[in-house]
C-alpha cells in the first residue's frame, strides 16, 4: 500500500513508475509498554536461563538499549529503559 502511494507521488512529478521484483525487505514496529524496563535484570535473568533460541547483547557504554536477537524468526528487539521497544528484521507480518 505504501509503495503504491509513493508511486503515485512520483508519477505526479512526471516520472514513469514500473514495478519489477517488488518484495518487502524489512518490517519495523515500535511499542511503548508505559513502564520502565530494568535492562540489567533482564540480561541477568536471560543468561541464568541459558535460552538457546536467542542472543542478548547489552553494553550501555556503547548503546543505551538492550538488543535481543531471535534466531527463528530472524528478528531483533531493541529494548530501552524508558519502556520503548523497536522490533526490526521481520520479512512479513505473519
Amino acid at each position: 500500500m505504501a509503495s503504491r502511494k509513493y508511486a503515485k507521488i512520483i508519477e505526479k512529478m512526471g516520472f514513469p513508475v514500473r514495478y519489477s521484483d517488488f518484495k518487502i525487505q524489512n518490517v519495523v514496529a515500535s511499542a511503548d509498554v508505559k513502564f520502565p524496563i530494568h535492562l540489567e535484570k533482564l540480561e541477568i535473568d536471560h543468561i541464568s536461563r541459558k535460552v538457546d533460541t536467542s542472543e542478548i547483547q547489552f553494553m550501555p557504554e556503547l548503546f543505551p538499549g538492550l538488543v535481543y536477537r531471535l534466531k527463528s524468526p530472524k528478528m531483533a528487539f531493541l529494548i530501552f529503559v524508558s519502556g520503548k521497544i523497536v522490533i526490526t528484521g521481520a520479512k512479513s507480518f505473519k
Side-chain angles (χ1 to χ4, degrees), residues 2-3 12 15 30 47 49-51 59 65 75 87 89:
S3 66
K12 286 181 182 178
F15 296 99
S30 63
I47 291 169
R49 291 184 193 170
K50 297 180 182 173
V51 178
M59 292 184 265
M75 297 179 2
I87 305 163

Side-chain angles (χ1 to χ4, degrees), residues 69-89:
R69 295 186 192 280
L70 295 177
K71 290 181 183 175
S72 181
K74 190 175 177 183
M75 297 179 2
F77 292 73
L78 309 176
I79 306 168
F80 298 92
V81 169
S82 64
K84 303 233 192 288
I85 301 171
V86 177
I87 305 163
T88 186

